[in-house]
Amino acid sequence: MVTAVLQERWLPQRLGGNLALDFTNTATYQAGRVDRDYLASYEYLLAWALDADLIDADEAQRLSQISARAPEQGARALSSARELRQVLYLLFSGATRGRQYGQDDLTALNALIAAWMPRRQLHVVGDTCFWSWTHAAEDLEYVLGGVVLAAAELLVSSGSANIRCCPGCGWFFVDVSRNQRRRWCSMAFCGSKAKSRRQYQRKLANQPRGR
Ligand SMILES: [Zn+2]
């Protein structure tokens, strides 16, 4: 099933330049509300985690089988993912407004940090160390640990000053452009839409008016 989801090419592009921003971009937003939600089911969360290299294909398959056996557990994990995404949406929105963070949102993220940090452990493959998470075999939510950690690290970094929000779709990204004037999530998506809208409006304005 995870493979099927991947084959459907449903995955949102990872354009944020940061894992936590890409996770928040698993929905598009209009006026602060979710417009399109890419996390349609727990399978979609797994497919996203696989695409983001949080888990490998075998692990995605294993978790998928558990959620098929215990759908209520999968639904709970999906609901936790959406709650985390909402907290991150509010915090990153605050970052784009001169790093003004809401106290409730910070409290919510701190609770998640407190829950996840004790479960962090170093894991070594070859000569490379990376963080992994202690978890029960049946735990369907641990894929969120990496997102929580990435969000916390981004917020304490100087990069937090460069978080931007695309006015077209509400996606977040870290602006690392030289002139710091990146406006759109991508020129291929919202940038080109805005360009054709401008061209259309110019064309209308230049048309001779009939009586
Ligand atoms: Zn956009």
Side-chain angles (χ1 to χ4, degrees):
M1 175 62 190
V2 175
T3 323
V5 170
L6 286 173
Q7 282 166 353
E8 281 172 27
R9 298 175 180 273
W10 68 275
L11 287 171
Q13 292 226 7
R14 292 193 290 117
L15 302 164
N18 173 276
L19 180 71
L21 296 183
D22 286 335
F23 178 73
T24 311
N25 297 345
T26 55
T28 58
Y29 303 87
Q30 291 295 335
R33 289 176 181 273
V34 169
D35 182 35
R36 174 182 177 182
D37 191 347
Y38 289 87
L39 297 183
S41 71
Y42 180 68
E43 298 290 337
Y44 285 74
L45 175 63
L46 287 180
W48 180 84
L50 177 60
D51 186 59
D53 286 332
L54 288 173
I55 48 173
D56 63 21
D58 289 345
E59 181 62 355
Q61 210 50 44
R62 190 186 72 81
L63 294 170
S64 170
Q65 282 161 1
I66 296 172
S67 74
R69 281 199 310 270
E72 72 293 344
Q73 245 177 282
R76 246 194 327 269
L78 177 65
S79 162
S80 299
R82 287 177 174 155
E83 281 168 28
L84 168 61
R85 190 178 61 188
Q86 178 63 14
V87 169
L88 297 185
Y89 174 84
L90 293 169
L91 285 169
F92 294 142
S93 296
T96 65
R97 293 191 303 269
R99 291 188 277 182
Q100 300 289 314
Y101 304 115
Q103 191 52 54
D104 288 351
D105 309 325
L106 282 173
T107 303
L109 185 60
N110 272 330
L112 289 165
I113 291 169
W116 284 107
M117 289 303 135
R119 297 171 60 183
R120 197 165 61 150
Q121 61 179 5
L122 275 180
H123 192 76
V124 182
V125 174
D127 59 359
T128 308
C129 280
F130 58 90
W131 291 118
S132 65
W133 307 91
T134 54
H135 60 89
E138 304 275 299
D139 183 349
L140 298 186
E141 295 189 22
Y142 81 91
V143 293
L144 301 177
V147 177
V148 171
L149 179 64
E153 285 179 345
L154 176 60
L155 289 171
V156 298
S157 75
S158 56
S160 63
N162 298 327
I163 297 173
R164 307 277 182 268
C165 183
C166 172
C169 64
W171 275 12
F172 295 96
F173 55 88
V174 181
D175 184 3
V176 290
S177 63
R178 196 183 299 179
N179 61 10
Q180 298 271 292
R181 292 180 66 184
R182 176 175 162 192
R183 182 151 189 244
W184 306 103
C185 59
S186 150
M187 279 314 291
F189 300 141
C190 295
S192 66
K193 270 193 235 164
K195 195 173 163 191
S196 18
R197 211 165 31 241
R198 276 198 307 274
Q199 281 170 343
Y200 178 68
Q201 278 160 354
R202 259 201 304 272
K203 201 170 146 196
L204 278 186
N206 291 337
Q207 260 172 13
R209 298 198 177 180
R211 288 182 173 239

